[in-house]
Amino acid sequence: MKRLFLPLLLLFCLSLFAEETITQDKAYINRNFKVYVKTMVPYSRDLEVELPLEEYGAMSVAGEPYLRPYNALVENSGEIIYEEMTEAVLTFRASAGDIYQCSGLRFFREKFEMVLPDFPVIVHNRDESNLDFPLQVYWSPVKDQAYPGEIISLILNVRYTESLDFPEEIHMAKPAVGDLDQVDLSGDIETFEIRDKTIYSYPLESWYFSSGESGHLTIPGGSVSILGLNRDIPSLELDILPPPEEIMKSGAVGDFSVVTQFSGNQAAQGEILTLSVRIEGTGNFHYMSFPEIVADGFELINSDESEELIPTESGYSGYRQISYRYQAGGENRGKIVCTPFSWMNPVTGKIETFSGNTYDVDITVQSGEESQRLPLLSSFDITRLICKEKFDSPFKWLFILPGLIYFLFVLFSLNERKSDWLPLLIVLPLLLSFGNGPERRESVEKAQELFRDGDLRQSLALYEALYEKEGYAAYLYNRAVLEFYQGNLTGSEKLFRTALLALPGEQKILKGLYAMESLAGLQDQYSVNWGIGSADLSGILILLINLFLVMLAWYLKKSKLSRFLAVATLFFIILGTGGALLAMNRMNRLPQGVVKSEGAALSRIPEETADEWLLLPPGTSFRLITEKKDYYFIKTGYGLEGWLPRGKVVPVTDEAF
């Protein structure tokens, strides 16, 4: 027992001094170099060393290791003295720059054996004489098989740097087949402690690669310049598998869910219903095809698409949504079908399917104008509105001149018979200036014809040109209708309400606005006064003022009490009409806004970190109460209040966009 105990005690004591120090020559690729390992193992001639002859990746043992003594300070019986300890000299050679882990260095003699822990060996490329660590670029792990259209994330990394440096330049060769798109992926930053220094491994750049063709593909590499050194980017090999038959139509690969929403199962002829198809999840949103929509008894008016996607290492994450607007036809029954949709889930390796939805609709058939689309204003209506808009200006008060001149003529006892025609002569040029030119009428009729033929873009372009040239709000109504039929709810809502700022209370514009909001499913918008417009009120006020001046002139001439009472009554009527006009103008001029086409979420406070508690759909209108920082405080027509980011709001102003 005593014989066994002593060697074990010696082995234990020696292990206490097994803290080694490691130094090495400046090592370069394809050149022999030495590594010196100083141990606290007492030196003796019978001590031997062994290093396995296996290769350490691209590094191999280039010579037999040997031992030699060196003097080290040690503690012996409370006294610090020099003793001979053991240093191992190792010879290596490497074909690539890297930090290798040397393992298996073994010291032994009779009844004694010790294996040193793994230690790093640093090998540089030939252009790294000024660096303490080798500079390498490499790809994060990349799957070697994919399906057509599937996103392969490529993250290029650099490692063994002592700081997080940006690359000076990166070049990636374009693959012969497939798409290579640069994206912003986060990647991982790793740290290592080597020889009392902290070094980093971190991403430099990232791409998405996808191919619609199956077969074996090569993604060529490129080059990167960092820290003043150039490094080659390695190429990648990839097999694109033939797609399963179930997903050939959609091409969708990812982890998805499909949700559909339909606006109702009843409609009147000419009414527009909306079907929204929303796909959420993570995958190849850029490549996939949406489920096919089949409609019976409906006409597709327009569609619009929205999305919110961010790149992740598994593909784009977020959602895409398409909203289809269908107008009910002249049949009693209609049907809209969202067909099945399948995709490959690479996480589970299984094909998943959305079974589709069928929506049956009862249609109330109508006749006459009610069954038509939202109509455009005719040339006559536009001329009438332009006349009202011209009239609703500071020059309108010149129409008081007839009564004023008549009053002055009577006051100074002028000849009434000769003066009857003079007031009309004064306002006649104003009346004649309200006429409609033939060029305008021709352009309006041409735009109407294009609308009937279904060429909405050209029709809209004509009205935009007319508005840019003349600036009359009458053109905004027709622009609003055309924007609606092209799926731009935000633009349509803004144009209608901009027209009402210039022509408040105009019945045709009001009816068009509410009809559009009903067709688009924008219920409970901020309502606009259905009452008489300011131009009409101004006309009534001017008429009453003229009547007041005429009656006042008669009163001065006849001096009768009954006529005085009539004049006083008329004065108060005029005063009340003027007050109503001012109040209506003030109400119609309150600031308004419309939610942009991507929608917006209300928040409780004007901060980016605030919780979003209600999503407002595109085209929602509201009052702008106040503003703070980059936010508006708004109030909707149904009483909800909150903050919206300025970038999500289109203010309604006197000028149309």
Side-chain angles (χ1 to χ4, degrees):
M1 184 69 180
K2 187 178 291 186
R3 285 184 180 179
L4 181 61
F5 175 74
L6 290 175
L8 291 175
L9 180 61
L10 177 61
L11 179 60
F12 173 74
C13 293
L14 289 174
S15 66
L16 295 178
F17 298 100
E19 297 181 3
E20 68 279 351
T21 60
I22 302 169
T23 58
Q24 69 173 75
D25 298 336
K26 187 79 171 184
Y28 294 99
I29 60 174
N30 299 322
R31 182 186 299 174
N32 289 358
F33 61 91
K34 295 187 182 300
V35 177
Y36 308 94
V37 184
K38 290 184 177 181
T39 72
M40 295 304 289
V41 177
Y43 179 76
S44 64
R45 294 186 179 277
D46 59 345
L47 184 64
E48 297 184 56
V49 63
E50 180 182 73
L51 183 65
L53 297 179
E54 63 188 48
E55 292 191 356
Y56 304 97
M59 185 181 75
S60 60
V61 178
E64 290 292 334
Y66 62 90
L67 302 177
R68 64 187 183 186
Y70 77 98
N71 290 327
L73 287 172
V74 297
E75 183 180 355
N76 187 3
S77 300
E79 184 180 0
I80 303 299
I81 62 174
Y82 279 101
E83 285 194 8
E84 285 189 339
M85 296 298 170
T86 304
E87 179 183 45
V89 181
L90 313 175
T91 305
F92 296 101
R93 188 182 184 91
S95 59
D98 204 344
I99 298 179
Y100 300 91
Q101 289 298 316
C102 181
S103 61
L105 182 60
R106 173 173 169 260
F107 297 88
F108 63 94
R109 63 175 169 230
E110 184 180 0
K111 298 180 182 179
F112 168 76
E113 179 178 3
M114 184 178 68
V115 178
L116 290 187
D118 296 356
F119 57 87
V121 176
I122 302 173
V123 181
H124 292 270
N125 293 289
R126 295 185 180 276
D127 55 358
E128 296 171 343
S129 58
N130 296 325
L131 300 181
D132 291 331
F133 301 98
L135 185 67
Q136 290 187 323
V137 293
Y138 66 98
W139 294 110
S140 293
V142 178
K143 61 193 305 183
D144 55 6
Q145 290 185 335
Y147 290 99
E150 183 178 355
I151 290 176
I152 305 298
S153 298
L154 308 178
I155 302 179
L156 183 67
N157 303 273
V158 64
R159 62 183 165 203
Y160 306 147
T161 64
E162 296 186 59
S163 59
L164 301 175
D165 296 285
F166 291 104
E168 289 90 33
E169 202 170 15
I170 296 179
H171 291 291
M172 274 290 288
K174 185 177 180 180
V177 177
D179 297 321
L180 188 67
D181 300 316
Q182 192 168 343
V183 293
D184 185 15
L185 301 178
S186 59
D188 296 317
I189 298 178
E190 300 180 47
T191 59
F192 308 90
E193 298 292 333
I194 297 181
R195 298 187 181 175
D196 299 326
K197 288 189 177 181
T198 299
I199 59 175
Y200 297 92
S201 171
Y202 59 94
L204 293 177
E205 194 55 84
S206 51
W207 296 266
Y208 275 165
F209 175 78
S210 60
S211 174
E213 301 180 15
S214 57
H216 184 78
L217 303 178
T218 298
I219 304 174
S223 63
V224 57
S225 176
I226 183 171
L227 297 177
L229 301 175
N230 294 320
R231 289 291 176 264
D232 290 333
I233 301 174
S235 60
L236 295 168
E237 302 294 324
L238 182 67
D239 288 319
I240 304 297
L241 306 175
E245 185 177 350
E246 295 89 336
I247 70 166
M248 290 186 67
K249 190 173 184 179
S250 70
V253 181
D255 186 7
F256 301 115
S257 63
V258 184
V259 178
T260 62
Q261 288 184 332
F262 192 57
S263 57
N265 56 6
Q266 292 184 336
Q269 182 181 359
E271 185 177 349
I272 294 179
L273 300 181
T274 301
L275 171 65
S276 296
V277 182
R278 184 185 182 102
I279 301 180
E280 299 179 337
T282 302
N284 61 341
F285 280 101
H286 71 301
Y287 181 84
M288 69 167 63
S289 299
F290 262 60
E292 182 182 357
I293 309 298
V294 179
D296 183 17
F298 288 87
E299 177 188 356
L300 178 63
I301 300 299
N302 56 57
S303 64
D304 63 79
E305 184 172 340
S306 61
E307 64 179 37
E308 188 171 318
L309 301 172
I310 58 172
T312 69
E313 292 186 30
S314 301
Y316 289 106
S317 182
Y319 75 88
R320 275 182 63 196
Q321 177 174 306
I322 300 181
S323 295
Y324 305 88
R325 295 181 182 85
Y326 288 93
Q327 186 175 38
E331 303 176 10
N332 292 321
R333 297 281 294 176
K335 179 188 294 186
I336 296 179
V337 179
C338 180
T339 59
F341 176 80
S342 297
W343 64 91
M344 168 61 73
N345 189 328
V347 178
T348 62
K350 297 180 180 179
I351 294 174
E352 300 179 9
T353 299
F354 163 70
S355 58
N357 283 322
T358 300
Y359 299 97
D360 295 309
V361 182
D362 294 324
I363 301 175
T364 303
V365 179
Q366 300 172 336
S367 59
E369 292 184 359
E370 294 182 349
S371 65
Q372 302 302 312
R373 288 186 179 187
L374 190 63
L376 297 180
L377 292 179
S378 65
S379 176
F380 172 78
D381 287 328
I382 289 178
T383 301
R384 179 179 62 83
L385 292 182
I386 289 175
C387 289
K388 288 185 69 172
E389 192 172 354
K390 286 183 176 181
F391 174 75
D392 197 13
S393 69
F395 295 105
K396 64 190 172 189
W397 301 111
L398 292 176
F399 285 94
I400 300 174
L401 287 175
L404 180 62
I405 293 172
Y406 182 79
F407 172 77
L408 293 174
F409 283 179
V410 171
L411 182 65
F412 292 104
S413 301
L414 297 177
N415 189 333
E416 298 179 16
R417 188 177 56 185
K418 292 182 179 180
S419 64
D420 288 343
W421 55 269
L422 188 58
L424 180 61
L425 183 64
I426 292 173
V427 299
L428 187 60
L430 289 173
L431 294 173
L432 293 176
S433 68
F434 289 175
N436 183 24
E439 183 181 347
R440 177 196 303 154
R441 183 167 53 251
E442 182 180 345
S443 295
V444 170
E445 290 174 355
K446 177 64 175 178
Q448 289 272 18
E449 182 182 349
L450 290 169
F451 174 70
R452 287 190 295 270
D453 293 341
D455 193 347
L456 304 183
R457 292 185 182 277
Q458 287 298 321
S459 180
L460 178 60
L462 281 176
Y463 285 115
E464 287 175 340
L466 285 168
Y467 179 80
E468 185 176 350
K469 180 180 179 181
E470 302 182 14
Y472 295 124
Y475 300 121
L476 299 183
Y477 175 97
N478 286 358
R479 285 178 59 189
V481 171
L482 292 165
E483 291 284 3
F484 167 71
Y485 279 118
Q486 292 191 97
N488 184 6
L489 295 183
T490 297
S492 179
E493 183 77 25
K494 182 184 186 299
L495 287 166
F496 270 120
R497 291 180 178 269
T498 302
L500 286 171
L501 283 178
L503 296 165
E506 173 55 41
Q507 297 299 302
K508 278 191 175 292
I509 299 178
L510 282 167
K511 289 180 180 179
L513 170 64
Y514 285 107
M516 183 278 293
E517 291 176 343
S518 175
L519 293 174
L522 295 171
Q523 283 78 22
D524 300 320
Q525 296 285 69
Y526 207 100
S527 59
V528 182
N529 196 336
W530 276 88
I532 189 169
S534 61
D536 298 319
L537 273 176
S538 299
I540 294 172
L541 183 61
I542 289 170
L543 179 63
L544 290 174
I545 291 174
N546 278 288
L547 184 59
F548 170 76
L549 292 171
V550 171
M551 292 185 66
L552 184 61
W554 274 94
Y555 165 72
L556 293 174
K557 186 175 182 180
K558 303 295 183 181
S559 299
K560 291 186 177 182
L561 180 62
S562 59
R563 286 192 172 85
F564 173 77
L565 293 176
V567 169
T569 302
L570 186 59
F571 171 77
F572 286 109
I573 291 175
I574 294 172
L575 190 64
T577 303
L581 175 63
L582 292 174
M584 180 170 291
N585 276 337
R586 184 174 180 274
M587 178 64 67
N588 286 324
R589 293 289 172 178
L590 286 177
Q592 304 172 45
V594 180
V595 172
K596 284 191 173 181
S597 58
E598 65 269 19
L602 277 177
S603 58
R604 304 283 187 186
I605 57 176
E607 299 290 345
E608 291 185 6
T609 56
D611 293 334
E612 298 176 342
W613 62 282
L614 180 67
L615 183 65
L616 299 179
T620 301
S621 62
F622 41 77
R623 294 293 190 194
L624 299 173
I625 308 301
T626 186
E627 58 181 293
K628 182 179 180 182
K629 298 180 183 177
D630 293 327
Y631 287 81
Y632 286 116
F633 185 74
I634 64 101
K635 183 175 182 179
T636 67
Y638 36 96
L640 292 176
E641 296 180 342
W643 294 91
L644 284 180
R646 187 188 298 269
K648 298 288 187 180
V649 174
V650 178
V652 177
T653 61
D654 293 327
E655 296 183 0
F657 58 92

